[in-house]
Amino acid sequence: MTAKPSESGLASRVERVYLAMLRVLTLVVASICILGALLLALDGGRRLLMSTDVVPEPVAISTEDALGPLVRAAGEEKVGGGASGVEASSAAKAKHAAFMKGAFATYYETYRRFALASNKPEDKLLSPAELASALGYSAEALDAEPAPSEHADDPDAPANLAQDAISEALARTSLLFQTDETFSTRQIEVVRNALADPRLVAKAAKYKAAQKTAQSCSTVYQVRSVWDSNSTACAEWYYRPYGCPVRRSVPVEQCVPAYPEGVESPLETFAKLDESYRLAWSSKTTSAQSAADTKAAEKREVKAGAPAAFVLALQIFGGFLVVMFMFLLIAIERHLRRLASTRPASLVAAE
């Protein structure tokens, strides 16, 4: 009979400790739930209000960017340029005339000084109109801006597609040079600084002192008389040797005196420098736009997760309510137990 009160007291103490731990655990879980729900709601709001507009990083072309292809790859031929053969609109012609008197006049002066300092007596100094046509600054480029090529930065693209991308890039920059004052100012500055670079000055001096000691050979087609053993165009084609003489276009190798490899005229150097700047600008602009598009796509993906974040926040908040309901039941049970332990002595005696 004496063991029962002891066992009852021990059970009561264990139960109290267990209930206390349960209350603490419930409060901890409830706090985590409400905090998680709040953080998810804030994250959902951030996603929902996030702007998906991304401005590409500004592009800056240095003198070294324009000089790079010239000092690394000698003998590379100029791509593009020349007139397109399409008649420009009157508005484009008016803009082109203003361009020729404005930005291009300064650009032409840069070319003229470099050419006069490096030309040989037999070299022709181009006029502003001739230089503009040779470099591809035509009025036709002002009528419509070509769309960027999807293969512009693809090194594995087929040769014809890569060539198309280069042509489109040059056409785009031709339009910018003629219409964008910031672009034209920077291009003139970079080309002027590049022409003063010791490496290009040395190339110009090398050209001025060079002689045509090499040969440049190419295949041309000429009409010549050749023997065709299968021809029956003459009266005696059936006598030995069988056949007849015929006139046909045949490939002939033709060689002319040329400067040694790596020797370029001032016009070639200026044209390559012009193209190098424009291609470098187009490449960097395309890369910056691609990076901006990628970042914008990532932001759109983050923003698309806003509804899911709100739903999860509501679910966690629902869990918080369930936990707090359990805590309320535990508190009610504790309160009733306390009331039971403090009952009046008369009630206890009556029992």
Side-chain angles (χ1 to χ4, degrees):
M1 297 298 290
T2 58
K4 286 185 179 179
S6 177
E7 291 175 0
S8 176
L10 178 61
S12 179
R13 285 195 300 273
V14 171
E15 186 178 13
R16 284 198 302 272
V17 170
Y18 176 76
L19 290 175
M21 292 175 60
L22 187 59
R23 286 197 304 273
V24 172
L25 181 61
T26 303
L27 288 174
V28 169
V29 172
S31 300
I32 293 174
C33 286
I34 194 65
L35 181 61
L38 179 61
L39 291 177
L40 282 170
L42 292 175
D43 181 61
R46 178 187 67 85
R47 289 168 181 259
L48 194 62
L49 298 175
M50 175 185 292
S51 173
T52 57
D53 296 331
V54 179
V55 179
E57 292 292 330
V59 172
I61 306 300
S62 66
T63 302
E64 196 60 33
D65 290 331
L67 273 173
L70 274 76
V71 297
R72 287 196 304 265
E76 180 184 356
E77 295 186 2
K78 184 179 183 305
V79 181
S84 65
V86 179
E87 183 69 17
S89 66
S90 57
K93 288 179 180 179
K95 289 181 182 178
H96 183 69
F99 160 73
M100 293 296 293
K101 293 177 181 178
F104 194 77
T106 306
Y107 200 46
Y108 176 78
E109 186 61 23
T110 302
Y111 155 75
R112 191 183 71 84
R113 291 180 180 179
F114 179 69
L116 289 178
S118 311
N119 271 356
K120 292 189 173 185
E122 64 270 20
D123 291 333
K124 176 186 177 183
L125 182 68
L126 299 185
S127 67
E130 290 172 334
L131 182 64
S133 177
L135 298 180
Y137 298 118
S138 62
E140 290 77 17
L142 294 168
D143 276 326
E145 182 175 4
S149 171
E150 60 181 2
H151 302 281
D153 289 336
D154 186 1
D156 299 323
N160 60 327
L161 293 179
Q163 187 68 28
D164 290 343
I166 291 175
S167 298
E168 290 169 1
L170 294 178
R172 263 197 323 277
T173 50
S174 172
L175 180 137
L176 282 170
F177 191 25
Q178 297 185 60
T179 57
D180 190 328
E181 184 178 353
T182 302
F183 182 93
S184 60
T185 301
R186 184 56 183 161
Q187 179 170 342
I188 293 170
E189 178 186 351
V190 169
V191 171
R192 182 188 294 124
N193 293 340
L195 290 175
D197 187 273
R199 289 168 291 183
L200 287 195
V201 173
K203 287 185 72 174
K206 182 180 179 181
Y207 168 77
K208 198 161 188 178
Q211 300 295 326
K212 292 185 177 181
T213 57
Q215 283 191 330
S216 176
C217 297
S218 60
T219 300
V220 298
Y221 285 85
Q222 296 180 354
V223 178
R224 292 187 177 181
S225 180
V226 296
W227 186 266
D228 185 355
S229 59
N230 295 319
S231 176
T232 59
C234 56
E236 299 179 348
W237 63 270
Y238 46 84
Y239 291 112
R240 290 181 181 274
Y242 301 117
C244 300
V246 295
R247 294 185 65 80
R248 287 183 179 171
S249 180
V250 295
V252 178
E253 186 178 48
Q254 194 173 63
C255 297
V256 296
Y259 291 110
E261 186 178 354
V263 176
E264 296 176 345
S265 69
L267 176 60
E268 291 175 316
T269 299
F270 189 86
K272 288 183 179 181
L273 187 58
D274 171 87
E275 180 183 295
S276 175
Y277 176 89
R278 293 159 66 187
L279 291 180
W281 185 92
S282 183
S283 176
K284 286 194 172 186
T285 301
T286 303
S287 298
Q289 185 62 54
S290 177
D293 291 342
T294 301
K295 192 172 182 180
E298 292 174 353
K299 285 191 171 186
R300 286 193 294 270
E301 185 177 354
V302 170
K303 189 169 185 176
F310 282 125
V311 170
L312 185 57
L314 288 175
Q315 291 174 342
I316 293 178
F317 184 72
F320 164 77
L321 294 179
V322 171
V323 171
M324 291 307 295
F325 180 72
M326 293 176 59
F327 180 79
L328 180 62
L329 292 179
I330 295 171
I332 292 173
E333 190 276 340
R334 179 189 176 203
H335 183 67
L336 293 176
R337 185 180 294 275
R338 185 177 298 170
L339 289 176
S341 63
T342 57
R343 285 180 299 174
S346 57
L347 293 178
V348 176
E351 293 178 356

